[in-house]
Amino acid sequence: MDDSPAPAPRSRRERPAKPALTRAGIVTAAVRLMEAEGLQRVTMRRLAQELDTGPASLYVYVANTAELHAAILEHHLGRVDLGAAAGTGAAEPGTADDPGAAACAGAAEPGAADDPSTADDPGRDWRGRLAAVLESYTTVLLEHPALAHSALLARPAGPHYLALVETLLALLEEGGVPAGQAAWGVDALLQVATATAAEHSARTGAAAEAEHGAMVRALREADPSRYPKVAATAGDLVSGRPTERLAWTFRMLINGVAATPR
Amino acid sequence: MDDSPAPAPRSRRERPAKPALTRAGIVTAAVRLMEAEGLQRVTMRRLAQELDTGPASLYVYVANTAELHAAILEHHLGRVDLGAAAGTGAAEPGTADDPGAAACAGAAEPGAADDPSTADDPGRDWRGRLAAVLESYTTVLLEHPALAHSALLARPAGPHYLALVETLLALLEEGGVPAGQAAWGVDALLQVATATAAEHSARTGAAAEAEHGAMVRALREADPSRYPKVAATAGDLVSGRPTERLAWTFRMLINGVAATPR
DNA sequence: ACCTGAACACCGTTCAAGT
DNA sequence: ACCTGAACACCGTTCAAGT
């Protein structure tokens, strides 16, 4: 055992010395690979190639592809702005990695004060702060919609996920929502946020754009004699900027959770 | 053109005479294949094999795999019980294809009348009937959770989908919900129902069972000093029979939609 | 005892070449 | 003009065999 020759007697190689395989190292490499080439390229084979080994070796540390993707998601969950729960935070100015990210969530043009949840003072009431956390979560997922897609299937259970749930529960408690419905409500809130982001994973590429256009047309041109209400409402069904719709949806969910006893 | 020799001069073959390839024929074969082997087997290659041709031939009629899956979903949407919207319907006794299906949605044991949305008289108020339609939709998707998964990415735009949207809009209008929020609400209602069913697509197989167990354990055993509310609420977070949780979620959404103006 | 090469059994999609 | 064989460029996962 201890008389084996040094862990790896290689010294001349192009790669900066292959590090020992560990679960953490695999996940780090996976995160980096995703950042570089997208989740669709984070396959067991491609990742193994990146780590200078064969795919079979990864199965010693990762059970399957779904678990690998869940680990990547848990990593990204660390970027959710939980500070928004206290009315501070907003964008943690220290991280200049991705300056566009935070702006994407709630930043309507100033003056559009018809939306209290993302208005000038987001820290005012618990509802606004709850919406802000959910918007941050959605923003993180929207940077990698394919990841949101996996999140619907294999929910993470790591510390970042627990911290997010903890924060949401605290805000609902602050709002006086009974614990029973708060617990079920957190599930629904995260599900809608996740599903919304996941829906965007297919909305990339020209083909998807065309398909989406076809759906909008199907609604707008619905036969008014067979689908009168669809025809009458078509404008509303597809109306609104995505951030507006999402803000309304979060407000709607919060209202529902607060008002629906078990 | 019309002097070409009969469309297909083959006569001796094992197969009952290969029918001409059409989009409708392809979708029908896809539905049948899915019923027999599951959506994961409905690939362009496997389907082509079933139709006694090469995969390239399918691309004449179907743009890609996503569109094929959307077509299968639209087909199944024909089984959603829209009669529940009028307080009739419940299970269309003529179709004996899948007797367990209808029972799965709302059928708690009789006597559990604490849930008005699935109680003895589901046709009483518009909320109950709206929940009944959503439960029927969810039931259809739960028969093929993988299909629900595709539905999140490529929403169908066929007549069955339009009829479903039409029914939901009509019920919200009956409930006096303003058209604007009804339109956005229908989106959210279908999204939650779809996502709920989709979540079950990974919940099959022993590995997924173990993974789910790991998440439940992570919640129950969450460090009370770092995640006090998670630890205190863990029981509620994972409690409840799925149908109970879903019924509550639909009630919650309906309350939210009705109470949240745009 | 630990790790992995090589294989098994597949994929989606394209396009040059055939009928 | 229409259709498709064959190829391109990949997959996840397993397990016998090596070190």
Side-chain angles (χ1 to χ4, degrees), chain B residues 4 14 18-19 21-22 33 39 70 79 92 107 134 146-147 204-205 207 209 219 236 245:
Chain B
S4 62
E14 334 269 287
K18 176 176 164 183
L21 230 46
T22 62
L33 180 56
L39 188 67
R79 293 165 60 157
E92 51 192 49
L134 290 170
L147 207 51
T204 55
E209 206 70 32
L219 288 174
D236 278 321
R245 286 187 79 127

Side-chain angles (χ1 to χ4, degrees), chain B residues 157-257:
Chain B
H160 291 138
Y161 180 75
L162 288 177
L164 174 60
V165 173
E166 177 73 17
T167 302
L168 297 176
L169 285 173
L171 283 166
L172 287 168
E173 186 184 274
E174 185 185 331
V177 177
Q181 68 211 63
W184 286 8
V186 163
D187 225 55
L189 288 165
L190 288 175
Q191 189 186 47
V192 169
T194 308
T196 299
E199 283 187 339
H200 283 258
S201 65
R203 301 270 195 287
T204 55
E209 206 70 32
E211 212 172 338
H212 181 73
M215 197 208 56
V216 171
R217 223 173 311 115
L219 288 174
R220 285 201 197 281
E221 295 168 7
D223 177 356
S225 68
R226 282 204 293 172
Y227 314 109
K229 284 164 214 328
V230 171
T233 327
D236 278 321
L237 282 167
V238 297
S239 74
R241 293 205 316 294
T243 58
E244 267 173 40
R245 286 187 79 127
L246 192 57
W248 178 86
T249 303
F250 286 146
R251 249 182 296 135
M252 177 273 278
L253 286 165
I254 294 168
N255 288 340
V257 171

Side-chain angles (χ1 to χ4, degrees), chain B residues 83-104:
Chain B
T88 62
E92 51 192 49
T95 326
D97 266 332
D98 195 344
C104 192

Side-chain angles (χ1 to χ4, degrees), chain A residues 43-45 55-56 59 64-65:
Chain A
T43 64
M44 295 303 240
R45 294 177 98 104
Y59 283 87
N64 50 47
T65 308

Side-chain angles (χ1 to χ4, degrees), chain B:
Chain B
M1 241 184 213
D2 41 4
D3 62 337
S4 62
R10 66 190 103 65
S11 47
R12 54 215 171 322
R13 244 189 205 281
E14 334 269 287
R15 300 250 174 181
K18 176 176 164 183
L21 230 46
T22 62
R23 199 192 140 94
I26 289 171
V27 173
T28 302
V31 168
R32 200 153 21 216
L33 180 56
M34 188 214 211
E35 226 74 58
E37 307 186 11
L39 188 67
Q40 76 276 174
R41 295 281 178 220
V42 185
T43 64
M44 294 303 239
R45 293 177 99 103
R46 181 72 184 77
L47 184 58
Q49 183 186 317
E50 205 69 15
L51 288 164
D52 210 5
T53 183
S57 306
L58 303 183
Y59 283 86
V60 177
Y61 307 96
V62 178
N64 50 47
T65 308
E67 195 195 290
L68 178 65
H69 288 182
I72 298 175
L73 174 61
E74 166 62 22
H75 171 91
H76 279 88
L77 251 29
R79 293 165 60 157
V80 175
D81 180 19
L82 298 181
T88 62
E92 51 192 49
T95 326
D97 266 332
D98 195 344
C104 192
E109 62 274 24
D114 51 28
D115 186 347
S117 71
T118 58
D120 308 308
D121 187 355
R124 215 161 52 207
D125 71 336
W126 67 274
R127 287 165 193 265
R129 279 176 285 133
L130 183 42
V133 172
L134 290 170
E135 273 158 26
S136 173
Y137 172 75
T138 310
T139 300
V140 168
L141 288 185
L142 280 174
E143 288 173 51
H144 305 289
L147 207 51
H149 196 226
S150 334
L152 281 172
L153 304 192
R155 285 202 223 178
H160 291 138
Y161 180 75
L162 288 177
L164 174 60
V165 173
E166 177 73 17
T167 302
L168 297 176
L169 285 173
L171 283 166
L172 287 168
E173 186 184 274
E174 185 185 331
V177 177
Q181 68 211 63
W184 286 8
V186 163
D187 225 55
L189 288 165
L190 288 175
Q191 189 186 47
V192 169
T194 308
T196 299
E199 283 187 339
H200 283 258
S201 65
R203 301 270 195 287
T204 55
E209 206 70 32
E211 212 172 338
H212 181 73
M215 197 208 56
V216 171
R217 223 173 311 115
L219 288 174
R220 285 201 197 281
E221 295 168 7
D223 177 356
S225 68
R226 282 204 293 172
Y227 314 109
K229 284 164 214 328
V230 171
T233 327
D236 278 321
L237 282 167
V238 297
S239 74
R241 293 205 316 294
T243 58
E244 267 173 40
R245 286 187 79 127
L246 192 57
W248 178 86
T249 303
F250 286 146
R251 249 182 296 135
M252 177 273 278
L253 286 165
I254 294 168
N255 288 340
V257 171
T260 311
R262 267 163 69 175

